[in-house]
Amino acid sequence: MSVSKSLLTFQFDEQEFLECYWQRHPLLIKGALPNWQSPLSPEELGGLALEDDADSRLISKSKNGWALKQGPLIPTDFQRSDDWTLLVNGVDSWVPEVASLKQCLRFLPQWRFDDIMVSYAVTEGGVGPHFDRYDVFLVQGTGRRKWRLGEWCDDDTPRIKHEDLNLLQNFETSQEYVLEAGDVLYVPPGMAHWGIAETPCMTYSLGFRAPAIAALLARWTDKTLEGLDPELLLEDRASVTNPPRPGEITSAHWDNAREAIQNSMAALDDGSWLGEVVTENGECAPPPHEHARALCLHTGARLAWQAIDDQCCVYANGEMLRVPIASQTVLERLCSDETLTPEELASVHPELLSFLSMSGALVSLD
Ligand code: SIN
Ligand code: CO
């Protein structure tokens, strides 16, 4: 994908959004994308849902209740009289024009972005009342959809009994909005929401993911253990100055042990665990062919970098390489979906090109 001349942006105050709404409150952005047109038709989305490799599903509601059919779907799945919605995940990996919507998210950390899901609903269609664990911008592509927002939810919020769907048992509407093409609704993690199509409509969900703190801690701990001498023992230092009562572990003993752990974690922290965890599970492209002249970032690959003093740590699909700080410009260009030559990549560090190729982050355009 090459960079388009005029980048797409949501028409709103990004700074105010970050300070007042992000991860805190929902926000309707009326006319957020005034000149944008849905790049996909319902038929094109339906065609994608028939592909073996596409992650698609169809959710329907009839007098018998809610039903889910996982893709790949077949054409007759769409010939039905109940209220249905078709959803396809990761459409940004299939359609460059859909991936262009990511330009609107430049004010947020790129490594938090997950994918773009596209849905098509018939009138009255919807996926039911639910909450997501992650942040989402719901971009109205075509038609009109009423969005109801409900309460804050967590794992204890009651759900209906259903084998396949995670729908809320109760829904108390707190706010209601009708979205038309180009409108955007931001929904923070944990907030109940329920979209019902007022006309046949398409929605583009720009989703984010956040790493589990447990995953970060596990990685940091693993890295510390790799570097720690297993024979190193806890020293008592000043913790024994005040004699304990018989059998007692004093708070000074605890503090001393905690401090020893924290010191080891800090001393052996090579600063790589966050970047590695957040770039894991990206989509890997096969290495580009030897004679490729134009290379760019593979959509779906996860690439991030971090400047530390005179070095740059590059993370590509969970792997890490240290390169000189001068590589930063090239990495920024790659992360902005610009096209680069192999020489540009190789010139900043001899291993950068092969590292990015082998980690599945590059595709050739020729
Ligand atoms: C939809 O597009 O119908 C569902 C999006 C969502 O609720 O996250
Ligand atoms: Co949702």
Side-chain angles (χ1 to χ4, degrees):
M1 190 183 79
S2 62
V3 170
S4 96
K5 292 271 177 307
S6 59
L7 292 171
L8 273 177
T9 46
F10 290 151
Q11 301 297 300
F12 77 149
D13 185 335
E14 293 173 354
Q15 198 57 40
E16 185 192 357
F17 173 77
L18 291 174
E19 284 166 19
C20 306
Y21 295 94
W22 178 246
Q23 300 220 298
R24 289 192 200 101
H25 303 292
L27 179 68
L28 171 69
I29 316 163
K30 225 26 202 159
L33 289 169
N35 301 315
W36 175 80
Q37 280 190 345
S38 172
L40 280 181
S41 66
E43 291 73 23
E44 286 166 327
L45 187 70
L48 196 52
L50 311 182
E51 298 280 344
D52 282 345
D53 299 341
D55 179 6
S56 63
R57 62 200 196 277
L58 191 141
I59 297 181
S60 56
K61 186 172 189 275
S62 67
K63 56 182 184 338
N64 300 324
W66 292 96
L68 167 79
K69 180 162 189 220
Q70 284 290 0
L73 302 171
I74 50 171
T76 47
D77 286 326
F78 307 128
Q79 288 156 18
R80 50 197 314 136
S81 54
D82 50 13
D83 302 334
W84 59 275
T85 301
L86 161 69
L87 303 113
V88 185
N89 282 95
V91 181
D92 46 313
S93 291
W94 291 80
V95 186
E97 291 77 13
V98 172
S100 298
L101 268 175
K102 289 193 279 182
Q103 293 167 7
C104 304
L105 308 172
R106 280 186 323 274
F107 65 101
L108 290 162
Q110 204 174 59
W111 58 265
R112 289 272 277 106
F113 174 75
D114 189 15
D115 76 337
I116 300 180
M117 177 179 83
V118 186
S119 70
Y120 168 76
V122 297
T123 304
E124 295 297 323
V127 305
H130 68 282
F131 74 95
D132 300 310
R133 291 166 54 84
Y134 305 127
D135 307 83
V136 64
F137 290 95
L138 300 162
V139 178
Q140 191 66 27
T142 59
R144 239 179 23 241
R145 187 193 280 267
K146 179 162 67 193
W147 280 102
R148 292 181 179 152
L149 299 179
E151 296 169 353
W152 294 103
C153 304
D154 58 28
D155 288 344
D156 298 329
T157 309
R159 322 291 160 88
I160 64 164
K161 280 199 175 57
H162 197 288
E163 270 188 12
D164 306 310
L165 295 169
N166 207 1
L167 298 177
L168 300 172
Q169 207 169 74
N170 312 305
F171 190 92
E172 196 75 45
T173 304
S174 58
Q175 294 159 73
E176 193 171 282
Y177 304 108
V178 175
L179 268 67
E180 292 170 301
D183 294 343
V184 173
L185 178 64
Y186 164 71
V187 184
M191 168 150 275
H193 52 285
W194 186 0
I196 301 164
E198 290 200 341
T199 65
C201 72
M202 293 183 79
T203 300
Y204 291 68
S205 299
L206 279 48
F208 290 76
R209 73 193 127 75
I213 291 177
L216 297 179
L217 184 60
R219 183 61 61 93
W220 189 359
T221 316
D222 286 350
K223 294 245 166 199
T224 307
L225 289 173
E226 273 169 31
L228 195 68
D229 176 359
E231 305 291 323
L232 191 68
L233 304 182
L234 181 67
E235 288 175 19
D236 295 329
R237 294 183 286 184
S239 70
V240 291
T241 316
N242 292 324
R245 288 162 285 204
E248 186 183 13
I249 302 175
T250 67
S251 56
H253 299 160
W254 275 111
D255 290 347
N256 180 55
R258 272 196 201 95
E259 204 183 314
I261 302 278
Q262 282 160 3
N263 288 344
S264 305
M265 299 278 282
L268 296 167
D269 181 2
D270 69 353
S272 63
W273 46 271
L274 178 63
E276 284 181 10
V277 171
V278 300
T279 57
E280 273 175 349
N281 303 319
E283 240 175 61
C284 293
H289 62 87
E290 249 180 88
H291 307 290
R293 304 298 314 142
L295 298 163
C296 72
L297 183 61
H298 170 55
T299 321
R302 293 183 181 161
L303 181 66
W305 58 271
Q306 169 191 10
I308 307 177
D309 303 324
D310 59 348
Q311 288 200 313
C312 224
C313 290
V314 191
Y315 305 95
N317 290 333
E319 306 289 330
M320 197 263 277
L321 177 74
R322 284 181 209 279
V323 292
I325 194 75
S327 318
Q328 193 178 316
T329 314
V330 156
L331 291 166
E332 274 185 56
R333 287 178 58 201
L334 208 51
C335 290
S336 306
D337 291 320
E338 284 188 39
T339 301
L340 283 103
T341 62
E343 291 75 24
E344 282 175 303
L345 285 168
S347 66
V348 288
H349 189 267
E351 281 171 44
L352 184 60
L353 177 59
S354 61
F355 167 74
L356 293 173
S357 303
M358 296 318 289
S359 53
L362 293 179
V363 282
S364 79
L365 295 177
D366 48 12

